[in-house]
PDB file of all heavy atoms in Angstrom:
ATOM      1  N   ALA A 128      38.553   8.731   1.953  1.00 90.00           N
ATOM      2  CA  ALA A 128      39.636   9.017   2.892  1.00 90.00           C
ATOM      3  C   ALA A 128      40.612   7.840   2.954  1.00 90.00           C
ATOM      4  O   ALA A 128      41.834   8.037   2.983  1.00 90.00           O
ATOM      5  CB  ALA A 128      39.071   9.323   4.272  1.00 90.00           C
ATOM      6  N   GLN A 129      40.083   6.626   2.938  1.00 92.00           N
ATOM      7  CA  GLN A 129      40.951   5.441   2.947  1.00 92.00           C
ATOM      8  C   GLN A 129      41.820   5.371   1.696  1.00 92.00           C
ATOM      9  O   GLN A 129      42.947   4.888   1.746  1.00 92.00           O
ATOM     10  CB  GLN A 129      40.107   4.168   3.069  1.00 92.00           C
ATOM     11  CG  GLN A 129      39.463   3.997   4.414  1.00 92.00           C
ATOM     12  CD  GLN A 129      38.470   2.844   4.442  1.00 92.00           C
ATOM     13  OE1 GLN A 129      38.151   2.230   3.418  1.00 92.00           O
ATOM     14  NE2 GLN A 129      37.960   2.548   5.630  1.00 92.00           N
ATOM     15  N   ARG A 130      41.309   5.885   0.573  1.00 91.00           N
ATOM     16  CA  ARG A 130      42.082   5.898  -0.675  1.00 91.00           C
ATOM     17  C   ARG A 130      42.993   7.126  -0.765  1.00 91.00           C
ATOM     18  O   ARG A 130      43.724   7.277  -1.729  1.00 91.00           O
ATOM     19  CB  ARG A 130      41.136   5.884  -1.885  1.00 91.00           C
ATOM     20  CG  ARG A 130      40.359   4.588  -2.075  1.00 91.00           C
ATOM     21  CD  ARG A 130      39.587   4.586  -3.392  1.00 91.00           C
ATOM     22  NE  ARG A 130      38.632   5.660  -3.516  1.00 91.00           N
ATOM     23  CZ  ARG A 130      37.322   5.567  -3.283  1.00 91.00           C
ATOM     24  NH1 ARG A 130      36.804   4.414  -2.890  1.00 91.00           N
ATOM     25  NH2 ARG A 130      36.528   6.608  -3.438  1.00 91.00           N
ATOM     26  N   GLY A 131      42.886   8.027   0.213  1.00 90.00           N
ATOM     27  CA  GLY A 131      43.706   9.235   0.210  1.00 90.00           C
ATOM     28  C   GLY A 131      43.165  10.345  -0.681  1.00 90.00           C
ATOM     29  O   GLY A 131      43.867  11.299  -0.979  1.00 90.00           O
ATOM     30  N   GLU A 132      41.892  10.238  -1.086  1.00 90.00           N
ATOM     31  CA  GLU A 132      41.291  11.238  -1.979  1.00 90.00           C
ATOM     32  C   GLU A 132      40.660  12.405  -1.245  1.00 90.00           C
ATOM     33  O   GLU A 132      40.438  13.461  -1.836  1.00 90.00           O
ATOM     34  CB  GLU A 132      40.197  10.589  -2.839  1.00 90.00           C
ATOM     35  CG  GLU A 132      40.685   9.554  -3.809  1.00 90.00           C
ATOM     36  CD  GLU A 132      39.521   8.937  -4.558  1.00 90.00           C
ATOM     37  OE1 GLU A 132      38.741   8.200  -3.920  1.00 90.00           O
ATOM     38  OE2 GLU A 132      39.387   9.228  -5.752  1.00 90.00           O
ATOM     39  N   ALA A 133      40.310  12.221   0.020  1.00 87.00           N
ATOM     40  CA  ALA A 133      39.627  13.270   0.779  1.00 87.00           C
ATOM     41  C   ALA A 133      40.025  13.172   2.239  1.00 87.00           C
ATOM     42  O   ALA A 133      40.423  12.110   2.717  1.00 87.00           O
ATOM     43  CB  ALA A 133      38.114  13.126   0.639  1.00 87.00           C
ATOM     44  N   ASP A 134      39.895  14.272   2.924  1.00 83.00           N
ATOM     45  CA  ASP A 134      40.172  14.352   4.349  1.00 83.00           C
ATOM     46  C   ASP A 134      38.990  13.774   5.115  1.00 83.00           C
ATOM     47  O   ASP A 134      37.840  13.871   4.674  1.00 83.00           O
ATOM     48  CB  ASP A 134      40.372  15.828   4.718  1.00 83.00           C
ATOM     49  CG  ASP A 134      40.935  16.002   6.099  1.00 83.00           C
ATOM     50  OD1 ASP A 134      40.269  15.604   7.066  1.00 83.00           O
ATOM     51  OD2 ASP A 134      42.048  16.541   6.198  1.00 83.00           O
ATOM     52  N   THR A 135      39.261  13.216   6.269  1.00 80.00           N
ATOM     53  CA  THR A 135      38.167  12.660   7.084  1.00 80.00           C
ATOM     54  C   THR A 135      37.295  13.747   7.705  1.00 80.00           C
ATOM     55  O   THR A 135      36.205  13.458   8.172  1.00 80.00           O
ATOM     56  CB  THR A 135      38.730  11.770   8.220  1.00 80.00           C
ATOM     57  OG1 THR A 135      39.664  12.538   8.986  1.00 80.00           O
ATOM     58  CG2 THR A 135      39.406  10.533   7.654  1.00 80.00           C
ATOM     59  N   ALA A 136      37.765  14.977   7.683  1.00 84.00           N
ATOM     60  CA  ALA A 136      37.015  16.077   8.289  1.00 84.00           C
ATOM     61  C   ALA A 136      36.097  16.796   7.299  1.00 84.00           C
ATOM     62  O   ALA A 136      35.612  17.885   7.577  1.00 84.00           O
ATOM     63  CB  ALA A 136      37.990  17.088   8.898  1.00 84.00           C
ATOM     64  N   VAL A 137      35.827  16.188   6.148  1.00 83.00           N
ATOM     65  CA  VAL A 137      34.943  16.798   5.161  1.00 83.00           C
ATOM     66  C   VAL A 137      33.556  16.980   5.777  1.00 83.00           C
ATOM     67  O   VAL A 137      32.998  16.040   6.341  1.00 83.00           O
ATOM     68  CB  VAL A 137      34.850  15.915   3.888  1.00 83.00           C
ATOM     69  CG1 VAL A 137      33.752  16.386   2.971  1.00 83.00           C
ATOM     70  CG2 VAL A 137      36.172  15.896   3.162  1.00 83.00           C
ATOM     71  N   PRO A 138      32.985  18.176   5.695  1.00 87.00           N
ATOM     72  CA  PRO A 138      31.638  18.409   6.249  1.00 87.00           C
ATOM     73  C   PRO A 138      30.567  17.799   5.333  1.00 87.00           C
ATOM     74  O   PRO A 138      30.106  18.430   4.387  1.00 87.00           O
ATOM     75  CB  PRO A 138      31.535  19.931   6.307  1.00 87.00           C
ATOM     76  CG  PRO A 138      32.479  20.416   5.247  1.00 87.00           C
ATOM     77  CD  PRO A 138      33.577  19.390   5.150  1.00 87.00           C
ATOM     78  N   VAL A 139      30.185  16.575   5.635  1.00 84.00           N
ATOM     79  CA  VAL A 139      29.283  15.805   4.775  1.00 84.00           C
ATOM     80  C   VAL A 139      27.964  16.535   4.533  1.00 84.00           C
ATOM     81  O   VAL A 139      27.459  16.565   3.416  1.00 84.00           O
ATOM     82  CB  VAL A 139      29.056  14.392   5.358  1.00 84.00           C
ATOM     83  CG1 VAL A 139      28.042  13.618   4.535  1.00 84.00           C
ATOM     84  CG2 VAL A 139      30.370  13.635   5.418  1.00 84.00           C
ATOM     85  N   ASP A 140      27.395  17.146   5.577  1.00 84.00           N
ATOM     86  CA  ASP A 140      26.136  17.888   5.409  1.00 84.00           C
ATOM     87  C   ASP A 140      26.279  18.980   4.352  1.00 84.00           C
ATOM     88  O   ASP A 140      25.414  19.149   3.499  1.00 84.00           O
ATOM     89  CB  ASP A 140      25.703  18.549   6.719  1.00 84.00           C
ATOM     90  CG  ASP A 140      25.032  17.597   7.682  1.00 84.00           C
ATOM     91  OD1 ASP A 140      24.647  16.500   7.262  1.00 84.00           O
ATOM     92  OD2 ASP A 140      24.904  17.966   8.867  1.00 84.00           O
ATOM     93  N   LEU A 141      27.382  19.702   4.420  1.00 88.00           N
ATOM     94  CA  LEU A 141      27.608  20.804   3.490  1.00 88.00           C
ATOM     95  C   LEU A 141      27.839  20.294   2.066  1.00 88.00           C
ATOM     96  O   LEU A 141      27.353  20.889   1.099  1.00 88.00           O
ATOM     97  CB  LEU A 141      28.790  21.661   3.956  1.00 88.00           C
ATOM     98  CG  LEU A 141      29.039  22.950   3.196  1.00 88.00           C
ATOM     99  CD1 LEU A 141      27.798  23.833   3.187  1.00 88.00           C
ATOM    100  CD2 LEU A 141      30.217  23.692   3.819  1.00 88.00           C
ATOM    101  N   VAL A 142      28.534  19.186   1.936  1.00 86.00           N
ATOM    102  CA  VAL A 142      28.757  18.600   0.608  1.00 86.00           C
ATOM    103  C   VAL A 142      27.421  18.153   0.007  1.00 86.00           C
ATOM    104  O   VAL A 142      27.128  18.425  -1.160  1.00 86.00           O
ATOM    105  CB  VAL A 142      29.754  17.424   0.670  1.00 86.00           C
ATOM    106  CG1 VAL A 142      29.828  16.708  -0.674  1.00 86.00           C
ATOM    107  CG2 VAL A 142      31.134  17.913   1.084  1.00 86.00           C
ATOM    108  N   LEU A 143      26.603  17.499   0.817  1.00 85.00           N
ATOM    109  CA  LEU A 143      25.283  17.057   0.346  1.00 85.00           C
ATOM    110  C   LEU A 143      24.431  18.253  -0.059  1.00 85.00           C
ATOM    111  O   LEU A 143      23.810  18.256  -1.128  1.00 85.00           O
ATOM    112  CB  LEU A 143      24.585  16.243   1.437  1.00 85.00           C
ATOM    113  CG  LEU A 143      23.203  15.687   1.116  1.00 85.00           C
ATOM    114  CD1 LEU A 143      23.240  14.761  -0.084  1.00 85.00           C
ATOM    115  CD2 LEU A 143      22.649  14.957   2.336  1.00 85.00           C
ATOM    116  N   ASP A 144      24.416  19.293   0.769  1.00 87.00           N
ATOM    117  CA  ASP A 144      23.656  20.503   0.447  1.00 87.00           C
ATOM    118  C   ASP A 144      24.181  21.159  -0.829  1.00 87.00           C
ATOM    119  O   ASP A 144      23.399  21.659  -1.647  1.00 87.00           O
ATOM    120  CB  ASP A 144      23.726  21.511   1.594  1.00 87.00           C
ATOM    121  CG  ASP A 144      22.968  21.065   2.836  1.00 87.00           C
ATOM    122  OD1 ASP A 144      22.211  20.081   2.756  1.00 87.00           O
ATOM    123  OD2 ASP A 144      23.142  21.713   3.890  1.00 87.00           O
TER     124      ASP A 144
END
Side-chain angles (χ1 to χ4, degrees):
Q129 290 171 353
R130 292 188 301 262
E132 295 177 291
D134 192 297
T135 55
V137 169
V139 176
D140 280 345
L141 188 56
V142 172
L143 181 60
D144 291 349

